Amino acid sequence: MLSRDDGVTHRGPLGGTAVQTPPRRIRHIRIEAGAVTADYQAGAEQIADIVAELRTNAGITVIVDDNVRPDLPSLPCAGLWD
């Protein structure tokens, strides 16, 4: 058995060694394109991919921070990165 920092204990498949995955870091992303502004929450890895793609688009500003609020919607199609 493996005990993670969050207090959850996991067993590996068929009694084998469990693999510990790091906790997923959730961040806030704001995408601004002219008068349109969109705020989302997503995993840090997902946001890094979005920033890499949008970096080359003129007229789009991307702001990433840790100001995650419960009312922020999830990044659309976030499941594509899971």
Side-chain angles (χ1 to χ4, degrees):
M1 280 192 277
L2 181 66
S3 180
R4 297 187 337 190
D5 291 338
D6 60 7
V8 178
T9 302
H10 300 274
R11 289 186 187 274
L14 303 175
T17 304
V19 176
Q20 183 174 359
T21 57
R24 190 173 140 183
R25 182 176 177 199
I26 303 298
R27 303 202 68 200
H28 165 242
I29 182 170
R30 170 173 278 181
I31 302 169
E32 299 175 352
V36 177
T37 301
D39 289 284
Y40 301 104
Q41 61 176 305
E45 294 165 353
Q46 296 167 336
I47 288 177
D49 289 343
I50 296 294
V51 169
E53 287 294 324
L54 295 179
R55 178 181 323 164
T56 60
N57 292 311
I60 295 179
T61 302
V62 180
I63 301 167
V64 179
D65 57 40
D66 292 319
N67 295 327
V68 180
R69 300 181 321 267
D71 63 320
L72 286 173
S74 295
L75 186 67
C77 301
L80 296 174
W81 284 273
D82 289 339

